[in-house]
Amino acid sequence: MDTVDAIVIGSGQGGVPFATTLAEQGKRVVLFERERFGGNCINWGCTPSKAFLAAAHAAGRASAAGVLGVNCRVTVDFPKVMERVREIRDRFARSTQSRIEAAGVEVVEAEASFTGQGHVQGGGRSFSAPVTVIDTGSSAALPPIPGLQETPYFTNHNIWELERCPERTLIIGGGFIALEIGQGLSRLGSEVHLLLRGNRVLASESPRVSAVLEEALQRDGIVLHRRTEAKRASPLAGNRVALALNNGETLEGDALLLATGRRPNTEALHVDRAGIELDERGHVRVNDHLESTRPGVYAFGEAAGQPAFTHVSWEDHRRLLATLAGQPRRRDDRVLAYAVFTEPQVGRAGLSPEQAAAKGIAVREGYMDIGNTNRAIEWGHGLGFFQLTVDAESDRIIGATLVGYETAELVHVLLDLIETGATASQLEPLQHIHPTYGEYLPSLAQAARQPE
């Protein structure tokens, strides 16, 4: 058994900067990685999906350019698209490994688990440390569909290995992964069917968001099956699949993608041996400082039940570094922001009016249909809206939902205003550049003005 300064389990977007920072400070750090370097983001999430969508949205925009008087015939080289996706993914993974090794982190390429003494073992080695970090991410949660184990299916883990575009793709789910990959496949040539357990996509967002995205998806030819569940899955010849549905119908396809939620990768750690508790969903139970029920053992990102976004996990590493240095950081001390990279995009920061109401906060709302704005009319972007949430008592901006062209970029303006405690009255008189989408943010604040 070897004693080191820190142990990191997993090479995700929180664990890597934590390990390299300590190593560069002269600490002896050991990092365990059982699969690919870079974690979910680089290998199965952000990196491959956005490289994939770069091609898909280019094809989609070209196909839709007729309204501008530009008529395009789009030909998709699907194998080349996927080759590029994998090349970028692999390059980023290699870069992550090189970064770890260059910083002097000792790497053990093996599955890690805890012992009864709180040590971490794997690959025939055992270590102890005053600080241990669990950054093991999550995997696709599989729905309990009879026959599924005998039926070929994809998750976001292996969809990037596709070599040809499926003629018809069946997708179970209506969240971020289902919508992004579904719209991408549709724009690259597949007939896509989305099976929704409920009545709308992105059910965690406001009905306004769902309505805009559903219209966009249907314009792309995607078929939405509402309140639909698969009662049985069956394999067909040629790796095709069939789903028996709860409405008595059978839907056949060339590929099946499961996007029905995530589960934390904590089972193989055997944390119970070390007195580390998990919650009912398998996340490491942590306090406000990301420390588990065993002192000195911490968890980042999805493993800790944090919001499942790369930037949250990355911020977790800064939180822990600050905590270890005696500074007052907490697991939720930043405004939550995120985006959905469909087209139109969804950019979110802070609270929606519905979330504010659930917290008992009285709000004023500013709303604007972007289809009526100069930029949208000029560029042919009719779908979308801007919405601002303002605390009625303090006038502080506490949330924003932007749906439209590249709103994942634009929402940062409002995210920064929320973080700094800015008010709607401070935003309203500002001058923004014309003609842009950003020029309407002061007008949005004006729309949220207190009635006189």
Side-chain angles (χ1 to χ4, degrees):
M1 200 273 295
D2 204 352
T3 300
V4 296
D5 295 304
I7 301 168
V8 177
I9 307 173
S11 62
Q13 301 306 298
V16 168
F18 182 81
T20 56
T21 297
L22 291 185
E24 288 163 356
Q25 293 173 352
K27 306 289 187 182
R28 187 181 175 198
V29 183
V30 171
L31 183 144
F32 284 84
E33 176 53 61
R34 68 178 183 180
E35 200 164 1
R36 293 174 60 93
F37 289 92
N40 280 328
C41 177
I42 285 177
N43 294 293
W44 308 290
C46 314
T47 296
S49 67
K50 301 321 171 271
F52 175 74
L53 289 177
H57 290 332
R61 291 166 189 169
S63 298
V67 297
L68 305 177
V70 179
N71 298 307
C72 301
R73 180 178 177 271
V74 177
T75 302
V76 174
D77 186 341
F78 192 83
K80 187 173 182 179
V81 169
M82 301 307 289
E83 181 183 359
R84 176 178 178 271
V85 168
R86 292 189 292 269
E87 188 279 325
I88 293 173
R89 173 199 65 185
D90 295 346
R91 182 179 0 133
F92 283 17
R94 290 193 300 270
S95 177
T96 300
Q97 183 176 3
S98 297
R99 176 187 174 190
I100 294 168
E101 294 172 348
V105 176
E106 185 174 346
V107 175
V108 179
E109 295 189 53
E111 186 168 79
S113 64
F114 283 89
T115 69
Q117 294 76 35
H119 305 156
V120 179
Q121 61 185 6
R125 304 184 66 186
S126 180
F127 299 89
S128 69
V131 174
T132 298
V133 171
I134 299 170
D135 184 34
T136 48
S138 67
S139 301
L142 303 182
I145 301 173
L148 184 62
Q149 296 306 317
E150 294 77 43
T151 303
Y153 63 83
F154 292 95
T155 68
N156 75 307
H157 199 95
N158 62 346
I159 191 72
W160 315 117
E161 307 307 320
L162 273 176
E163 293 290 348
R164 66 175 185 85
C165 187
E167 289 187 24
R168 175 186 280 188
T169 305
L170 313 182
I171 301 178
I172 301 178
F176 294 14
I177 294 173
L179 299 195
E180 290 183 3
I181 297 178
Q183 189 180 45
L185 285 171
S186 177
R187 290 186 164 198
L188 292 173
S190 184
E191 177 190 314
V192 174
H193 292 252
L194 277 180
L195 279 65
L196 309 176
R197 187 174 184 180
N199 195 44
R200 59 189 180 93
V201 302
L202 282 191
S204 61
E205 300 295 333
S206 74
R208 283 175 179 166
V209 174
S210 300
V212 171
L213 290 189
E214 286 171 8
E215 183 172 349
L217 296 173
Q218 288 170 330
R219 287 185 184 184
D220 279 330
I222 295 175
V223 181
L224 303 180
H225 300 262
R226 305 177 195 273
R227 295 194 175 92
T228 300
E229 295 185 47
K231 308 305 289 184
R232 174 167 288 279
S234 304
L236 300 176
N239 284 325
R240 300 182 75 250
V241 299
L243 296 178
L245 308 180
N246 58 337
N247 60 8
E249 298 178 0
T250 297
L251 194 59
E252 297 183 1
D254 300 280
L256 170 63
L257 172 64
L258 305 177
T260 53
R262 310 289 295 173
R263 60 177 180 82
N265 294 328
T266 54
E267 185 176 358
L269 294 172
H270 297 291
V271 295
D272 55 308
R273 297 173 182 166
I276 300 168
E277 295 180 8
L278 303 178
D279 66 16
E280 62 280 358
R281 297 185 60 190
H283 302 109
V284 178
R285 196 182 298 278
V286 296
N287 62 18
D288 287 339
H289 305 291
L290 298 171
E291 189 170 26
S292 75
T293 51
R294 183 181 183 95
V297 177
Y298 301 83
F300 287 166
E302 294 164 281
Q306 289 281 75
F309 304 109
T310 291
H311 49 280
V312 173
S313 183
W314 190 86
E315 188 64 26
D316 281 351
H317 105 270
R318 297 207 302 187
R319 291 181 172 112
L320 182 53
L321 287 174
T323 296
L324 295 176
Q327 300 170 19
R329 291 297 307 268
R330 298 168 62 87
R331 65 180 294 182
D332 58 354
D333 60 3
R334 292 285 190 196
V335 175
L336 179 61
Y338 53 89
V340 185
F341 291 89
T342 47
E343 204 160 77
Q345 291 179 356
V346 180
R348 286 274 284 112
L351 302 177
S352 68
E354 296 86 356
Q355 291 170 328
K359 292 177 175 288
I361 303 172
V363 300
R364 302 194 310 271
E365 181 183 356
Y367 179 82
M368 178 181 298
D369 186 333
I370 67 168
N372 298 323
T373 65
N374 291 3
R375 178 70 187 277
I377 294 170
E378 292 157 359
W379 285 65
H381 301 155
L383 280 178
F385 66 88
F386 292 170
Q387 181 275 323
L388 194 69
T389 307
V390 177
D391 187 310
E393 182 177 348
S394 67
D395 194 45
R396 288 180 57 175
I397 301 169
I398 61 173
T401 301
L402 308 182
V403 184
Y405 183 74
E406 294 295 345
T407 55
E409 302 292 339
L410 184 58
V411 77
H412 287 95
V413 175
L414 296 171
L415 171 61
D416 293 345
L417 291 175
I418 297 169
E419 285 280 14
T420 56
T423 66
S425 298
Q426 290 173 316
L427 172 60
E428 183 180 341
L430 299 181
Q431 174 183 277
H432 287 187
I433 296 169
H434 174 83
T436 64
Y437 286 116
E439 74 173 299
Y440 294 99
L441 298 184
S443 299
L444 189 63
Q446 183 181 31
R449 181 187 293 171
Q450 179 71 47
E452 298 179 358

